[in-house]
Structures are given as C-alpha cells and as structure tokens.
Amino acid sequence: MGAQLRVYRQKIKSAQTTKKITRAMELISASRIYKAQQRVAASAPYSRAVTRAVSAVATYSNVDHPLTTEPARIDRAAIVVFTSDRGLAGAFSSNVMKEADQLTTLLLSQGKEVVYFLVGRKAVSNFGFRRRVAVQQWIGGTDLPQFDTAKEISDTLLKAFATDASEGGVDEIHVVYNRFVSMIAQVPEVVRLLPLEVVEGIEAPVGDEVFPLYEFEPDVNKVLDALLPVYIESRIFNSMLQSAASEHAARQKAMKSATDNAEKLIHNYTRLSNSARQAEITQQISEIVGGADALSTAGNED
Amino acid sequence: MSDKTIRVELVAADKAVWSGDAKMVIAKTVEGEIGLLPGHEPMLAILGAGEVRITLVGGEIIKANAEEGFLSVEHDVVSIVARHAQLV
C-alpha cells in the first residue's frame, strides 16, 4: 500500500470514529430535549398560579414593597448569567456571554457598577480566562435543574438586593438566559428581575380579567412578603428550565452538523483514496510493462 | 348539603400534584386550619406546613403534605401552591 493511500485511509478512519461519537451525542440530546420540554411544561402550572396571585395582590393593594420600588439611584447592578456545564453545544454559552457583555457595556455607560452571578461551568471558565471575578457561582446540574438550586440562587439574589449598595449589595438585578423557542431556535434573552415589574408576568392573566376582591390572610403586606420571593424563585427556575431545554436543542443541532461534516469528510477522502489506489495500480502496470519492454529489448540486442 | 363542588388544584414547584372536584378542602394556613366549602369568598392566604385534606364528592379523603406556599380561592377554584407538595 502506498504512503498516500495509507494517509487517506487513516483520515477516513478518524472521521468515522468522530462521526460515531457525534451521532451518539446527537441522539442522546434529542431524547433529552423531550424530557426538558416536559419539565418546562410541568412547572408551568406553578408559575402561572404564582404570577396570577402576585398580579392579584398588586391590583388590589397600593402597597409599596421594597422589591417593587425603584431605588432612588442605582449604583450597582448585578447580572445573572445562565450557561451550560458542558460544551459541544454550538454557540449556546457564547451567545449568552455575548449578550451579557453587551448588557455590561450598557450598564457601565449609565454609570453603574456591574457585578456577576454565574450559573454553569462554561460561564465560570469564561470568567477565569478573562480574569474577571464573579460574586458567586453555581456549577453542576445545568442540564437537569433542580428547584432547590433555583431557591438557593434566588435567596442569594434577594439578600444582595436587600443589602445597601454601599455595603456591597446591588440595586438592580438582570438575568441573561437562553429562551427555548423551538428545536431550531434558542434566543438569548435579557430580563430585569429586580426591582419587579409585576405587570409583565411569564404568562399574563388572560385578557381584561377582573380579579375578585380577595380577603388576605393574615394581611395584605404579609401575603405580599411571602409571595414576591416565591415569584422570583419561580422566574429563576423557569429561566433554568428554559436554558436546559435550549442547551439540549443547541447540542443536538451542533452534533447533527458535526455528523454531517464527518460524513462529508469521509466521502471526500474515500474519493481521494480511490484515485490514489487507481494511480498506484496504473503506476505498477506501467512499471511492469516498462520492465518487460526493457527486458525484451535487452534480449533482442544479444 | 348542596351538590355544589369546588375545583381543587394542588401544585408543586416542578409539577401539578393533583387536581379535581371536591366537596371540601381543609388546609393549614399560618393562622391555623381553614375549611373551604363551595361558595367561599375569594381569599389569598399563606400556607403553613401541614396536611391538606380534600374530601371528594364520594366522601373519600385525599391527603397531601404541602409546605411553603400559599392558597388562593376564587370562583369556587382553590389553588394550593407550594414549593414542596406530595400526596400521602
């Protein structure tokens, strides 16, 4: 076997191995998208109920809650970035990081200081690489978010929000995550989480529905006190679930095109190796013919 | 007793736990236990940790644990929304 032919065969083999891996990852992601979507759907009743209750309280009371009031001046803003733990998902994590960077530029131009909370190993390593520091980070489990993590994140955020900016707290909190639109589209989305604008819920109450006059137990302020953190939690949990579904969809898409590319490579190298083999055979024939020719000429001269 | 029923939705953070029609719901709020019958006035209350008992039309009782959440009543629909909730 000629050297050229051997090189092509090696390349075909390596592309085939890669293809096997990417194909497997594609199939795994495809099955996980479905589960992730189901989880998004399963958490919908909760977030709907919470949003509804919050809107109901907000409609019937003119309470000024610290979480809904705009601070007099905003000195420091926090950005929460939701990325994935693992790569090989196309531009999934880098899209969110890019969006976060744009938001940072905007906030800095408004004269605000920016601090970060990171979710997902990719965001952490991105920050490590750029030598930037985050206030807090959560890694692990981005592909299967648990509600307890969401609670932990929202508790941390609420604590930071409750602290005064001069003592290291923040006045404003934004979240950046990938929203799952469809199997082929995931859109990075920036949402201001705090101070709350209750009117825009995840799912606003239908139409001009009028809420009944509720009785609150123990009283309206206590109910609001209890409800708003729950609302924040459910928003965070929703972002995490959306992000997880998007991650699987992005990975499936990326792995699909990787598999296609591997196939294309295999195809091209097979063509090249065929022509190399043909060239080798042609050369051998012409060598034999040339040799025989030379022999017979030499024989005639004798 | 009238044959009116109330619709009950018991919802946890990550899934809907139970929903259906019932004759009576007993739940625990921070103020104490409360019994809800059809035609109850609209209400929003904070849930205390404890048991929720749902009496079905046939008289069977469904029990569930629910904590950290709230309950809302309106138009004969009771939503019990809790971070953690499961049937017992």
Side-chain angles (χ1 to χ4, degrees):
Chain A
M1 194 163 47
Q4 192 65 52
L5 188 54
R6 203 157 42 229
V7 168
Y8 285 137
R9 294 245 163 107
Q10 260 167 11
K11 285 189 171 162
I12 291 173
K13 211 168 222 173
S14 105
Q16 271 167 343
T17 324
T18 313
K19 187 183 140 186
K20 260 182 213 157
I21 294 169
T22 56
R23 164 79 74 201
M25 287 184 73
E26 182 194 335
L27 294 176
I28 291 169
S29 295
S31 75
R32 286 195 181 157
I33 299 173
Y34 179 65
K35 267 188 218 150
Q37 269 180 303
Q38 274 187 329
R39 279 169 62 93
V40 175
S43 79
Y46 183 79
S47 62
R48 204 160 40 226
V50 173
T51 312
R52 199 183 149 75
V54 171
S55 331
V57 187
T59 331
Y60 281 105
S61 60
N62 302 319
V63 271
D64 267 340
H65 195 274
L67 293 182
T68 57
T69 15
E70 194 88 17
R73 45 172 301 184
I74 293 170
D75 287 326
R76 190 177 294 133
I79 303 180
V80 191
V81 192
F82 290 91
T83 60
S84 61
D85 277 335
R86 285 175 300 155
L88 292 181
F92 175 81
S93 290
S94 65
N95 272 349
V96 192
M97 294 308 304
K98 227 182 281 170
E99 204 67 36
D101 283 344
Q102 275 172 17
L103 181 62
T104 308
T105 323
L106 178 72
L107 292 175
L108 289 177
S109 74
Q110 291 169 350
K112 299 169 188 169
E113 198 186 320
V114 180
V115 293
Y116 298 92
F117 293 88
L118 308 177
V119 183
R121 207 165 270 135
K122 281 285 147 189
V124 175
S125 64
N126 180 300
F127 266 57
F129 179 68
R130 295 195 287 174
R131 294 177 192 283
R132 288 158 76 176
V133 187
V135 183
Q136 197 160 345
Q137 53 206 35
W138 291 269
I139 50 176
T142 58
D143 51 353
L144 198 68
Q146 297 301 322
F147 190 73
D148 291 337
T149 324
K151 183 166 165 18
E152 200 186 307
I153 295 174
S154 78
D155 284 350
T156 315
L157 294 180
L158 286 170
K159 212 172 118 203
F161 188 72
T163 319
D164 204 55
S166 55
E167 289 155 25
V170 297
D171 304 312
E172 190 177 49
I173 296 175
H174 300 262
V175 290
V176 189
Y177 68 101
N178 269 301
R179 191 162 58 86
F180 183 86
V181 181
S182 70
M183 291 294 221
I184 39 168
Q186 299 86 40
V187 186
E189 197 148 85
V190 183
V191 178
R192 192 177 79 159
L193 188 68
L194 283 170
L196 268 180
E197 290 149 40
V198 177
V199 240
E200 49 96 44
I202 319 169
E203 277 165 73
V206 202
D208 302 319
E209 193 187 2
V210 179
F211 289 108
L213 209 52
Y214 285 99
E215 168 157 334
F216 297 100
E217 189 148 329
D219 62 66
V220 75
N221 287 323
K222 290 236 176 65
V223 171
L224 200 57
D225 271 347
L227 269 184
L228 288 178
V230 172
Y231 180 68
I232 302 285
E233 259 164 47
S234 100
R235 293 288 293 269
I236 300 253
F237 190 47
N238 185 267
S239 312
M240 290 170 76
L241 290 174
Q242 295 265 349
S243 178
S246 306
E247 179 189 340
H248 293 306
R251 179 163 301 124
Q252 193 219 359
K253 205 169 70 175
M255 289 301 104
K256 167 116 184 56
S257 59
T259 310
D260 290 350
N261 285 342
E263 255 161 31
K264 216 189 282 167
L265 270 183
I266 293 170
H267 183 80
N268 288 344
Y269 280 129
T270 311
R271 283 286 155 79
L272 284 171
S273 83
N274 283 351
S275 69
R277 192 188 62 216
Q278 200 55 54
E280 207 175 290
I281 292 167
T282 314
Q283 198 194 343
Q284 280 168 353
I285 290 175
S286 68
E287 273 165 10
I288 292 167
V289 171
D293 206 28
L295 274 180
S296 64
T297 329
N300 283 347
E301 276 173 10
D302 281 339
Chain B
M1 205 178 224
S2 74
D3 53 357
K4 282 210 284 187
T5 57
I6 32 176
R7 174 140 197 92
V8 184
E9 279 162 11
L10 180 59
V11 175
D14 49 0
K15 59 181 186 294
V17 178
W18 189 84
S19 70
D21 293 321
K23 220 157 58 173
M24 179 171 70
V25 178
I26 296 174
K28 201 168 174 196
T29 72
V30 281
E31 302 272 87
E33 285 216 323
I34 184 171
L36 304 163
L37 291 168
H40 198 280
E41 65 175 339
M43 189 185 75
L44 256 174
I46 307 171
L47 220 55
E51 203 177 51
V52 177
R53 292 197 295 280
I54 305 166
T55 312
L56 299 186
V57 186
E60 301 157 64
I61 294 180
I62 287 181
K63 289 183 184 173
N65 274 328
E67 53 183 318
E68 299 177 71
F70 62 95
L71 90 93
S72 79
V73 188
E74 55 178 280
H75 308 309
D76 281 346
V77 178
V78 181
S79 317
I80 300 166
V81 183
R83 256 179 220 138
H84 306 286
Q86 75 244 353
L87 296 176
V88 249

